[in-house]
Amino acid sequence: MARDNSRRRSRSRRESEAFRQLPWRLVTNPYKPIEVLDEAQIEAIHETSLRILEEIGMDFLHPEALGILKQMGAEVEVGSERVRFDRNLVLDCVAKAPARFTLHARNPAHNLEIGGNNTVFAQVASAPNVSDRDRGRRVGNFEDFANLLRLAQQLNIIHLTGGYPVEPVDLAPATRHLDCIAALATLTDKVYHAYSLGRTRILDALEMTRMARGIDAAQLSREPSLFSIVNTSSPLRLDGPMIEGILEMSARNQVIVVTPFTLSGAMSPATLAGALAQQNAEALAGIAFTQMVRPGAPVIYGGFTSNVDMKSGAPAFGTPEYTKAALAGGQLARRYMLPYRSSNANAANAVDAQAAYESEMSLWGAAMGHANLVMHGAGWMEGGLTASFEKTVLDAELLQMMAEFLTPIEVTEETLGLEAVREVGPGGHFFGAAHTLARYETAFYAPILSDWRNFETWREAGSPDATERANALYKRLLADYSPPPLAPAVAEELAAFVARRKEEGGAEAA
Amino acid sequence: MARDNSRRRSRSRRESEAFRQLPWRLVTNPYKPIEVLDEAQIEAIHETSLRILEEIGMDFLHPEALGILKQMGAEVEVGSERVRFDRNLVLDCVAKAPARFTLHARNPAHNLEIGGNNTVFAQVASAPNVSDRDRGRRVGNFEDFANLLRLAQQLNIIHLTGGYPVEPVDLAPATRHLDCIAALATLTDKVYHAYSLGRTRILDALEMTRMARGIDAAQLSREPSLFSIVNTSSPLRLDGPMIEGILEMSARNQVIVVTPFTLSGAMSPATLAGALAQQNAEALAGIAFTQMVRPGAPVIYGGFTSNVDMKSGAPAFGTPEYTKAALAGGQLARRYMLPYRSSNANAANAVDAQAAYESEMSLWGAAMGHANLVMHGAGWMEGGLTASFEKTVLDAELLQMMAEFLTPIEVTEETLGLEAVREVGPGGHFFGAAHTLARYETAFYAPILSDWRNFETWREAGSPDATERANALYKRLLADYSPPPLAPAVAEELAAFVARRKEEGGAEAA
């Protein structure tokens, strides 16, 4: 105990010395979205997507889903998983989804308002590899997984985690979800995600989330507290484990994010209009299905249209096409009055200039597309193959800058500063002006990563580039980490649940 | 001669092998600008700026200018350089400036349309230092100056040069402008800039530009062919050499870009509203003065409001404040129906992730602020202290990506691709679809710098980061360079002019 206290004191001292970041706050976009399509173009994409669902149809690889779809009036092809939808059925179901909702964290201060002009940033998710400068790129493991969660807790601009930041393959597959959800629920007090990898895993996650929040099942059903990404297997297929995620999550009023992964030229047509039409068809079908399971269940329209490199077939992200698709996706989601999900994506192999500019292209698409949920907000590399510690810090800077950009200019008599200009006058300077001194601490955004020292000072300090500085910062954030408070009874209940479920053998193979 | 031909053949072979870039084209923005201020806020800034000019005034450090200003109705304080402007005088003059005009290059294919929704990208200008990875950072010199011009000629996305990319301090100050303008006029065939560093230098540049275009003085006066940046010495002062630039350039219908350098917290109030009000006052006063010299003379409203780091006083660029100011500046310029100039700025010491993300923040402000002229578009580092060869290539990629982003999505029955989706169907893939194959070459943007190889292939290639790749690319572009055609008579006339003017001693100290 004495040791703990001394550690806490030394940590507080370090914090007060230097690490400054923006306080936790929800981000609201005060500007109009960028519209890359006019109304007629949006309607043409809408119309094409409805014809895709009417004439071509989509495969739902789950008997229970086929039963529900048939019962609700969809046309299920006999002896097949092919489902065709009348446009009115799709649109009537989609219209039942809420335009906004609250996503509850175990720490109520970290609750999230999803929808409207709000934007929340999630950590990288689902990377098979992890990397930092010291140890290079390695296969995902639980130690790195936990450290990435600690960074998500430490960085205020990361509003929620988005899944497993890296896949901890050193944990047994059947019980991995138990350890991971326990870590998500205890190492952070922010909203987290559970994978739609079949019924058992989702039900375990729901139960652990109920425990972590210390509420009963009825309250959980009133208060969305868990979210799950449902990717279609483009083109036009929804797999069984994903469908089970919808069945269990939507039934309990939890949040589904339907995200077609429509890589233009590979899983969708090699034209943005075609890729968007197919994205829209798949998203609308998935969203309609959530509303068949439970009308009013919270659901988010996900867009992840990018393009492949036509020469190699490699997926590309943060391309001009990606940015346009992200903005168009926002227009489509708003057409149906649905919350919108986009991503902070890039295809770089190194945390270098390319990683930064591709991420910026993605982020501008997300922000000005009025994305309500930005997945992979911090740490994503290589088209999703690696979670990077340095990229996490780099992205935190990008996200903070975007949040500050989205803070409107204050125009008042005081800020217009006519009297300050009069005081200083032609040829003077404002360093010592009262108007300046009064704003010394708060006038401008203070970066966490950007280095504005002059060249000579920077060279004397060893010429550290942004990635090297990010390396030092992530280690410092980890050293400063302490877990968020958790009632001992809750911790015990969670541990007991994990122990019992492990004894039972965990989940079936997904 | 034989050797030249063989060199040309080998160059062509290399070009056909790999270096692919977008063709030369003017960039038009089809999207609505981002508006960070509402109409009432714009009017409040407008009103404050007019009060600054009415009540506080601005210093014009040139007797001839004071005479013109007095004659045109401005109030010149007796025994002083302080000038106060009635708002109607300012607005009447500003209203005479054209909303758009053509800026003529010696190669007519490189003429530029300035105004409306057009955007042109200029090379870095005025850096005292130059750097690349091989030789590090060094003081500007003519060899690097010329090589940077060669890159400006080689890269199609660089529409014009913006001044001396780096200051060649190895050339004698009195005759430096002669060698530099000769280089600008011969190593490239794109539009270039002359410094407003007193009367003689501008007159020399005008004469050389007339020669390079092979036209007479009357045609030069009908066809703007040279531009000059006029920076105010903020707060509220216009220096003599800059004023002489306006006097000579505007009188001959050449292009002036009035750019207050209103660093918030140093040369303007520590609030964006105040900095913008002061920027607007200085810009309007300078623009009004160009119209007093010659009504209808082409002039561009320049915005360069950024902020200092309040801790150190260091200037910062590509900050959230910078982006907001760039967008607000566009709104102000459009209020007066003037073309708008912004920049691609950053404060990084290395061509790293920071250089990329700060540049992106600047570029998005420029593009979505509908800047018509983006200065420092390629190569700017360290808040303008260094021109970088690698950053030139990096920025060419950023500019190309922005140009492609600004190319609207084509929505037609063909691009909507319903039949392609029908052909492929659920669970298939589009790689081999006829719809895809027909677009194999042109479907998506092909980058010049981005590396989309998978991690293993990239690692086997030596793990080159973006800056290392940029280093190889700039050398290749230089190796591939050949000067644009120039009539021998013109070349001789220019050389003779430079020789004569050197004999005469060149220009006075600026």
Side-chain angles (χ1 to χ4, degrees):
Chain A
M1 256 330 239
R3 197 169 147 239
D4 270 357
N5 276 343
S6 104
R7 272 172 64 192
R8 193 156 304 157
R9 269 200 306 278
S10 108
R11 190 179 59 245
S12 302
R13 202 162 44 240
R14 277 204 305 277
E15 271 171 17
S16 67
E17 270 162 25
F19 195 79
R20 257 177 76 178
Q21 62 177 323
L22 295 185
W24 165 276
R25 65 177 164 93
L26 298 181
V27 175
T28 303
N29 191 334
Y31 313 128
K32 284 188 193 135
I34 297 178
E35 297 189 340
V36 294
L37 296 171
D38 64 27
E39 214 174 302
Q41 292 174 318
I42 286 287
E43 288 314 298
I45 290 172
H46 166 75
E47 172 69 22
T48 304
S49 66
L50 294 178
R51 286 189 61 193
I52 290 173
L53 293 178
E54 283 176 339
E55 301 172 19
I56 302 167
M58 181 153 160
D59 288 353
F60 281 69
L61 306 190
H62 200 283
E64 189 177 334
L66 294 172
I68 293 171
L69 286 157
K70 194 170 176 183
Q71 189 193 327
M72 299 299 293
E75 181 200 328
V76 180
E77 205 175 279
V78 179
S80 143
E81 290 148 327
R82 182 71 42 92
V83 182
R84 291 187 184 79
F85 296 81
D86 178 84
R87 63 180 59 202
N88 292 323
L89 173 63
V90 174
L91 296 176
D92 287 351
C93 286
V94 167
K96 290 177 185 150
R100 53 192 304 158
F101 52 85
T102 301
L103 188 43
H104 294 258
R106 79 166 166 91
N107 176 356
H110 289 162
N111 287 355
L112 304 172
E113 295 302 315
I114 306 293
N117 291 335
N118 299 318
T119 299
V120 300
F121 300 121
Q123 185 176 35
V124 55
S126 313
N129 303 293
V130 61
S131 83
D132 70 351
R133 246 192 194 198
D134 307 289
R135 288 172 292 163
R137 184 182 192 253
R138 52 200 181 268
V139 169
N141 59 81
F142 190 66
E143 187 195 342
D144 286 319
F145 170 103
N147 279 334
L148 285 165
L149 293 192
R150 291 181 181 106
L151 288 186
Q153 179 67 14
Q154 284 284 70
L155 289 160
N156 293 330
I157 198 67
I158 299 180
H159 293 109
L160 70 169
T161 53
Y164 307 164
V166 68
E167 188 73 26
V169 297
D170 51 345
L171 300 184
T175 56
R176 187 182 297 166
H177 68 288
L178 298 167
D179 293 314
C180 288
I181 298 288
L184 286 159
T186 55
L187 294 179
T188 90
D189 61 5
K190 298 178 178 180
V191 166
Y192 55 85
H193 165 277
Y195 288 95
S196 284
L197 286 172
R199 194 153 251 153
T200 309
R201 287 180 178 83
I202 276 288
L203 290 176
D204 283 341
L206 283 161
E207 181 61 3
M208 292 175 76
T209 301
R210 186 194 64 69
M211 289 175 183
R213 287 202 56 214
I215 59 177
D216 62 20
Q219 190 173 350
L220 185 70
S221 274
R222 284 194 306 274
E223 299 179 348
S225 306
L226 186 66
F227 80 109
S228 186
I229 304 286
V230 166
N231 290 122
T232 54
S233 292
S234 303
L236 296 168
R237 212 172 65 184
L238 199 49
D239 291 331
M242 292 285 176
I243 288 174
E244 292 189 357
I246 295 178
L247 290 172
E248 301 305 331
M249 290 281 287
S250 293
R252 286 166 185 80
N253 202 35
Q254 303 302 305
V255 180
I256 290 290
V257 184
V258 181
T259 309
F261 189 51
T262 34
L263 263 183
S264 183
M267 288 93 103
S268 70
T271 49
L272 276 189
L276 287 165
Q278 187 187 309
Q279 168 191 295
N280 201 55
E282 296 177 6
L284 291 185
I287 290 164
F289 182 65
T290 65
Q291 302 305 305
M292 293 179 184
V293 172
R294 178 178 173 134
V299 62
I300 297 177
Y301 179 115
F304 214 146
T305 292
S306 193
N307 60 286
V308 295
D309 175 5
M310 288 297 259
K311 294 270 178 292
S312 65
F317 299 96
T319 61
E321 291 82 7
Y322 177 97
T323 308
K324 285 187 270 189
L327 292 165
Q331 291 186 256
L332 288 164
R334 287 192 296 281
R335 190 201 178 288
Y336 309 109
M337 289 182 285
L338 293 167
Y340 176 51
R341 167 257 161 112
S342 188
S343 301
N344 173 11
N346 74 89
N349 289 307
V351 184
D352 61 358
Q354 180 184 340
Y357 67 70
E358 289 183 342
S359 273
E360 282 283 355
M361 290 294 286
S362 299
L363 272 179
W364 276 91
M368 295 314 296
H370 281 209
N372 303 104
L373 167 62
V374 179
M375 288 292 290
H376 310 300
W380 215 62
M381 291 294 300
E382 283 179 49
L385 293 180
T386 291
S388 156
F389 282 94
E390 288 90 2
K391 181 67 160 37
T392 300
V393 174
L394 166 59
D395 283 332
E397 181 78 297
L398 303 193
L399 297 177
Q400 287 204 156
M401 289 173 74
M402 192 55 81
E404 284 290 288
F405 167 69
L406 296 175
T407 305
I409 298 175
E410 196 191 338
V411 182
T412 63
E413 197 181 320
E414 191 47 42
T415 61
L416 283 163
L418 180 63
E419 295 316 313
V421 176
R422 202 191 306 276
E423 177 195 335
V424 171
H429 69 79
F430 289 78
F431 281 123
H435 190 264
T436 306
L437 294 175
R439 290 163 176 80
Y440 181 77
E441 282 290 342
T442 55
F444 307 122
Y445 171 63
I448 55 178
L449 180 64
S450 299
D451 189 333
W452 296 337
R453 291 177 291 186
N454 66 43
F455 184 84
E456 291 73 19
T457 311
W458 172 79
R459 184 161 53 187
E460 277 159 30
S463 309
D465 70 11
T467 314
E468 192 176 333
R469 300 194 302 272
N471 178 275
L473 280 170
Y474 101 70
K475 290 173 188 165
R476 178 164 172 204
L477 283 164
L478 285 185
D480 287 353
Y481 172 84
S482 59
L486 180 69
V490 171
E492 278 161 32
E493 193 184 4
L494 279 170
F497 180 84
V498 169
R500 175 171 69 75
R501 292 285 299 114
K502 281 188 170 181
E503 218 162 286
E504 292 166 4
E508 71 286 5
Chain B
M1 246 343 228
R3 197 171 147 238
D4 269 357
N5 276 341
S6 104
R7 273 173 64 193
R8 192 157 303 156
R9 269 199 307 277
S10 108
R11 191 179 57 247
S12 302
R13 200 159 48 238
R14 277 202 306 276
E15 271 170 15
S16 66
E17 270 161 24
F19 194 79
R20 256 176 77 176
Q21 61 178 325
L22 295 185
W24 165 277
R25 66 176 163 94
L26 299 181
V27 175
T28 302
N29 191 333
Y31 313 129
K32 283 189 192 133
I34 297 178
E35 297 190 340
V36 294
L37 297 171
D38 64 27
E39 214 172 303
Q41 291 174 319
I42 287 287
E43 288 314 297
I45 290 171
H46 166 74
E47 173 68 22
T48 303
S49 67
L50 293 177
R51 286 189 62 193
I52 289 172
L53 293 177
E54 283 176 338
E55 300 172 19
I56 301 167
M58 182 152 160
D59 289 353
F60 281 69
L61 306 189
H62 200 284
E64 190 179 332
L66 294 172
I68 293 170
L69 286 157
K70 194 169 176 185
Q71 191 194 326
M72 298 301 292
E75 181 200 327
V76 180
E77 206 175 280
V78 179
S80 142
E81 289 147 328
R82 183 71 42 92
V83 182
R84 292 187 182 79
F85 296 82
D86 178 85
R87 64 179 59 200
N88 292 323
L89 174 61
V90 174
L91 296 176
D92 288 352
C93 286
V94 167
K96 291 176 185 148
R100 53 193 303 160
F101 52 85
T102 301
L103 189 42
H104 294 259
R106 78 167 167 91
N107 176 355
H110 289 161
N111 287 354
L112 305 172
E113 295 302 314
I114 306 292
N117 291 336
N118 299 318
T119 298
V120 299
F121 300 121
Q123 185 177 35
V124 56
S126 313
N129 303 294
V130 61
S131 82
D132 69 353
R133 247 191 195 200
D134 307 289
R135 288 172 292 165
R137 186 184 191 253
R138 52 202 180 267
V139 170
N141 60 80
F142 190 67
E143 186 194 341
D144 285 319
F145 170 102
N147 279 333
L148 286 165
L149 293 193
R150 292 182 180 105
L151 289 186
Q153 180 67 16
Q154 284 284 71
L155 289 160
N156 293 329
I157 197 67
I158 300 181
H159 293 109
L160 71 169
T161 53
Y164 307 164
V166 67
E167 188 73 25
V169 298
D170 51 345
L171 300 185
T175 56
R176 185 182 298 165
H177 67 288
L178 299 167
D179 293 314
C180 289
I181 298 288
L184 286 159
T186 55
L187 294 179
T188 90
D189 62 5
K190 298 178 179 181
V191 166
Y192 56 86
H193 165 278
Y195 287 95
S196 284
L197 285 172
R199 193 154 252 152
T200 311
R201 287 180 177 81
I202 277 289
L203 290 175
D204 284 340
L206 283 162
E207 181 60 3
M208 293 175 76
T209 302
R210 185 194 64 70
M211 289 175 185
R213 287 202 57 214
I215 59 177
D216 62 18
Q219 190 174 350
L220 184 70
S221 274
R222 285 193 306 273
E223 299 179 348
S225 307
L226 186 67
F227 80 109
S228 186
I229 304 287
V230 166
N231 290 122
T232 54
S233 293
S234 304
L236 296 168
R237 213 172 64 182
L238 199 50
D239 291 331
M242 292 285 176
I243 288 173
E244 291 188 358
I246 295 178
L247 290 172
E248 301 305 331
M249 291 280 288
S250 294
R252 287 166 184 79
N253 201 35
Q254 302 303 305
V255 179
I256 290 291
V257 184
V258 180
T259 310
F261 189 52
T262 33
L263 262 183
S264 185
M267 288 92 101
S268 70
T271 48
L272 277 189
L276 287 165
Q278 187 187 309
Q279 168 191 296
N280 201 53
E282 296 178 6
L284 291 185
I287 291 164
F289 182 64
T290 64
Q291 302 305 305
M292 293 178 184
V293 172
R294 177 177 174 134
V299 63
I300 298 176
Y301 180 115
F304 214 144
T305 292
S306 191
N307 60 288
V308 295
D309 176 5
M310 288 296 260
K311 294 269 178 291
S312 66
F317 298 96
T319 61
E321 291 82 7
Y322 177 97
T323 308
K324 286 188 269 190
L327 292 165
Q331 290 186 256
L332 288 164
R334 287 192 296 280
R335 191 202 177 284
Y336 309 109
M337 288 183 287
L338 294 168
Y340 176 51
R341 166 255 161 112
S342 189
S343 301
N344 174 10
N346 74 90
N349 289 306
V351 184
D352 62 357
Q354 180 184 338
Y357 67 70
E358 289 184 341
S359 272
E360 281 284 357
M361 290 294 285
S362 298
L363 272 180
W364 276 90
M368 296 313 295
H370 280 208
N372 303 104
L373 167 62
V374 180
M375 288 291 291
H376 310 301
W380 215 62
M381 292 293 300
E382 282 180 51
L385 293 179
T386 291
S388 156
F389 282 94
E390 288 89 3
K391 182 67 159 38
T392 300
V393 174
L394 166 58
D395 283 333
E397 180 80 295
L398 303 193
L399 297 177
Q400 286 204 158
M401 288 172 75
M402 192 56 80
E404 285 291 288
F405 167 69
L406 296 175
T407 304
I409 298 175
E410 196 192 336
V411 182
T412 62
E413 197 180 318
E414 191 47 40
T415 61
L416 282 163
L418 180 63
E419 295 317 313
V421 176
R422 202 190 307 275
E423 177 195 335
V424 171
H429 69 79
F430 288 79
F431 281 123
H435 190 264
T436 305
L437 294 175
R439 289 162 177 79
Y440 180 76
E441 281 291 342
T442 56
F444 307 122
Y445 171 64
I448 55 179
L449 180 64
S450 300
D451 190 333
W452 296 338
R453 290 176 291 185
N454 68 41
F455 185 83
E456 291 73 18
T457 311
W458 171 79
R459 183 160 55 187
E460 277 159 30
S463 309
D465 70 11
T467 313
E468 193 176 333
R469 300 194 303 271
N471 178 274
L473 280 170
Y474 101 71
K475 290 174 188 166
R476 179 168 172 201
L477 284 164
L478 285 185
D480 287 352
Y481 172 85
S482 59
L486 180 68
V490 171
E492 278 162 33
E493 192 184 6
L494 279 170
F497 180 84
V498 169
R500 175 171 68 76
R501 291 286 299 115
K502 282 189 171 180
E503 218 164 289
E504 292 166 3
E508 70 286 7

